[in-house]
Amino acid sequence: MPSAIHSLPEELLGVIASNSQPADLNSLLLTSKSFNEHLTPALYASIIPRSERYALKALRTLSAAPQKTTFGRDLPAIVRTFTLDFATYNLLPVKEKLVRRLVQAVSRMTGLQHFTCRLYCWFVPQMCANLMAAAAGTLRSLNVYICPKRHRPRVTTTEPESEETDLLAMLRPDLPCLESVTLEMTSDTGDFADFTQHLLTTCASRLRKLSLFTVEHEMAEYVIAYTEAWPVLQELEIDVRTLACRAIEFPATPRVHSLSSPNIPPSAFPKLEELCCSHGVLPAFLPPTMPSGYAKRPIRKVELDRARYEKNGGDFTRYGDPEWHGVRAVLAHLSNSAVPVTDLAFYVHLLEVPGLVDIAVVATNLERLLTVVYEDPVQLNGGFDALGAKLFAHMPDLHTFLVSDAPKKFADGAFMISEDDERKWLEAWDKHPNALREVAFCVSRMWTKTGNGWEMSDFYTEEKETEDEGDDESDSYDSQS
């Protein structure tokens, strides 16, 4: 007689699947044919490998022919989200065999909705063509990094390079569902120009989010040359030189509320709420006064020099080398927003911790403050222990304070801050009124305030344990093959 759990309706099995970790889900579907049938789609709906190791196993399974899988399933056809964007501190060697496997798998992802491929050298013309042939009708978001032609691996052994270029030139897919596009194009990517222009032109009326970065700004000019407007676009991330170019008329963008890397007249984007830009551009968007007839922008979130907090680091080659005195000067413009700025992130090479108290004057209503730093602030000037009285006591809404040492970690270094030092500073801060609930002094651990005081989460240990436990999860990609 079947057990009660095997008699559950499909709706409840769906709830179980949506609340289960991949490793647990894999173990469950191996217990019976019925579970395997109902839960496999949930396991493969979202493929987001966290490391090269998991990517290897996922691609091995997804590229296998259906007749070689359990029950003859075509596994790529049930994938809805596919992402290759794991952090690495060293450029992975290009493995042509892996790229070929991904090219094969993509050609069968007929229900794919979200595709991300940010690994260097992986997004090649044949992959683009296969993706469009399989998923053009269902694709909702596309996020790819396109490397120079000379660095791409060959994924075919018979077709010459000229035929790959012709393949892109002929790509004219209809993408009725595409709403989000992120394209980062280095030099020597002209073979993607016509396809990219078609993509942005035909989807212009539907795009809600667009990120476009090109080393050669002439490329950006070309791909948007025939776009008259992005009528529903809300989030725009684009190179400064493209916006400043006079060779083209920039498409109308009446609904944009989030803009990154801009350099435009002070009268543009009157509804802007989120701004991501280099620190030198901030004054153009938050000037002391606006021209007659124009209101100040209601900017609530500011991210300078792409400062972000990622557990255990991430790839920080994108950062420049901004100095504290320059960043400190432009932060004074935060008070020029029409509404209080509640989220601020910035990057500096060397942070003068005592100088942070100036932020309480220009952004009293901050709820989240992140600073990404290269040089160890404690070793050079200290001052963390005094922030409780001089900064946090004057910012009643600030619940998250983060310091990231990711640039240092990327350079094979780390801050010399001990857990005991961090606990001592937290105790000193709590002697003064504050609203802090989350605090981090590096990317390896974070402190959270609970009813029992401050508790620490060690990200490095958690990730290591997850990888050890993930042996079963990574094998789940083999369990079907």
Side-chain angles (χ1 to χ4, degrees), residues 284-297:
F285 282 85
L286 293 175
T289 59
M290 294 291 283
S292 177
Y294 295 98
K296 292 185 175 182
R297 298 182 182 86

Side-chain angles (χ1 to χ4, degrees), residues 62-126:
L62 291 173
S63 61
Q67 58 268 29
K68 293 184 179 180
T69 65
T70 305
F71 307 119
R73 291 192 183 98
D74 190 7
L75 296 175
I78 60 180
V79 175
R80 298 294 177 263
T81 298
F82 186 87
T83 298
L84 285 178
D85 190 22
F86 43 82
T88 174
Y89 292 106
N90 296 295
L91 255 167
L92 295 175
V94 180
K95 297 181 173 61
E96 294 186 3
K97 186 176 181 180
L98 289 180
V99 178
R100 290 193 188 105
R101 283 180 170 173
L102 180 54
V103 168
Q104 295 169 4
V106 163
S107 68
R108 291 153 48 200
M109 294 183 182
T110 53
L112 191 66
Q113 297 177 1
H114 307 283
F115 181 80
T116 297
C117 184
R118 303 288 303 172
L119 300 188
Y120 192 77
C121 298
W122 281 60
F123 194 71
V124 296
Q126 187 65 57

Side-chain angles (χ1 to χ4, degrees), residues 123-232:
F123 194 71
V124 296
Q126 187 65 57
M127 186 183 303
C128 182
N130 287 2
L131 177 65
M132 294 300 110
T138 59
L139 201 62
R140 299 179 64 86
S141 68
L142 177 67
N143 183 339
V144 295
Y145 181 97
I146 304 174
C147 77
K149 192 188 310 182
R150 62 186 178 277
H151 292 166
R152 298 174 201 156
R154 291 296 306 275
V155 297
T156 59
T157 56
T158 57
E159 295 183 2
E161 183 179 341
S162 59
E163 291 191 24
E164 288 193 355
T165 302
D166 292 341
L167 184 67
L168 285 173
M170 294 184 292
L171 271 182
R172 294 294 183 271
D174 182 23
L175 297 133
C177 302
L178 192 64
E179 296 180 342
S180 175
V181 173
T182 298
L183 298 172
E184 187 166 351
M185 308 172 74
T186 61
S187 59
D188 191 24
T189 55
D191 53 337
F192 274 88
D194 288 335
F195 165 73
T196 304
Q197 185 186 79
H198 169 80
L199 186 75
L200 298 183
T201 302
T202 58
C203 299
S205 63
R206 298 184 297 276
L207 282 182
R208 297 184 179 275
K209 179 179 180 180
L210 172 62
S211 298
L212 180 62
F213 292 99
T214 59
V215 172
E216 301 168 343
H217 68 276
E218 293 85 358
M219 171 70 78
E221 297 168 19
Y222 177 77
V223 299
I224 66 175
Y226 295 100
T227 301
E228 295 182 358
W230 288 309
V232 298

Side-chain angles (χ1 to χ4, degrees), residues 406-419:
K408 190 74 170 180
K409 187 174 180 181
F410 185 76
D412 297 323
F415 288 174
M416 302 300 292
I417 302 177
S418 69
E419 182 180 334

Side-chain angles (χ1 to χ4, degrees), residues 64 73 107 132 165 184 194 207 254 259 300 304 315 399 422 434 449 452 468:
R73 291 192 183 98
S107 68
M132 294 300 110
T165 302
E184 187 166 351
D194 288 335
L207 282 182
L259 181 66
R300 302 177 184 275
L304 301 179
D315 182 357
H399 55 71
E422 296 178 359
N434 69 75
K449 181 177 282 188
N452 298 320
D468 293 340

Side-chain angles (χ1 to χ4, degrees), residues 278-479:
S278 62
H279 67 277
V281 175
L282 182 63
F285 282 85
L286 293 175
T289 59
M290 294 291 283
S292 177
Y294 295 98
K296 292 185 175 182
R297 298 182 182 86
I299 297 177
R300 302 177 184 275
K301 178 179 179 180
V302 174
E303 180 185 296
L304 301 179
D305 302 298
R306 306 195 76 179
R308 296 166 189 175
Y309 188 91
E310 301 177 49
K311 294 180 180 179
N312 279 328
D315 182 357
F316 285 87
T317 55
R318 60 186 178 226
Y319 289 128
D321 196 25
E323 297 295 338
W324 171 237
H325 64 84
V327 174
R328 186 177 184 178
V330 303
L331 291 180
H333 288 264
L334 295 176
S335 60
N336 297 330
S337 175
V339 298
V341 175
T342 58
D343 192 322
L344 172 64
F346 60 88
Y347 169 56
V348 291
H349 181 76
L350 168 61
L351 174 67
E352 296 179 12
V353 175
L356 287 175
V357 299
D358 293 348
I359 296 176
V361 178
V362 297
T364 307
N365 300 102
L366 272 184
E367 298 176 5
R368 179 180 181 272
L369 174 60
L370 161 65
T371 175
V372 181
V373 189
Y374 180 80
E375 295 290 353
D376 189 335
V378 176
Q379 294 295 310
L380 295 173
N381 53 55
F384 276 113
D385 53 346
L387 291 181
K390 296 183 178 181
L391 179 65
F392 304 131
H394 304 283
M395 304 183 75
D397 301 319
L398 187 68
H399 55 71
T400 301
F401 176 69
L402 307 173
V403 177
S404 168
D405 63 341
K408 190 74 170 180
K409 187 174 180 181
F410 185 76
D412 297 323
F415 288 174
M416 302 300 292
I417 302 177
S418 69
E419 182 180 334
D420 290 338
D421 288 334
E422 296 178 359
R423 190 179 295 277
K424 178 186 68 176
W425 294 330
L426 292 171
E427 291 174 353
W429 295 350
D430 280 345
K431 294 179 181 179
H432 307 275
N434 69 75
L436 292 173
R437 297 197 299 271
E438 285 190 335
V439 173
F441 300 93
C442 60
V443 295
S444 300
R445 55 184 177 266
M446 180 177 289
W447 295 85
T448 304
K449 181 177 282 188
T450 68
N452 298 320
W454 289 99
E455 296 184 358
M456 188 204 49
S457 298
D458 189 324
F459 298 146
Y460 177 79
T461 302
E462 289 177 358
E463 184 173 283
K464 186 66 177 174
E465 290 175 351
T466 301
E467 284 195 0
D468 293 340
E469 295 172 359
D471 285 340
D472 290 337
E473 177 186 342
S474 60
D475 290 341
S476 69
Y477 295 121
D478 300 330
S479 65

Side-chain angles (χ1 to χ4, degrees), residues 208-211 233-238 255-262 269 271-276 285 299 301:
R208 297 184 179 275
K209 179 179 180 180
L210 172 62
S211 298
L233 191 70
Q234 297 178 354
E235 298 181 36
L236 175 62
E237 197 170 5
I238 198 162
R255 297 192 180 186
V256 167
H257 63 74
S258 176
L259 181 66
S260 301
S261 297
F269 300 103
K271 298 183 179 180
L272 196 62
E273 297 179 1
E274 301 179 12
L275 176 62
C276 171
F285 282 85
I299 297 177
K301 178 179 179 180

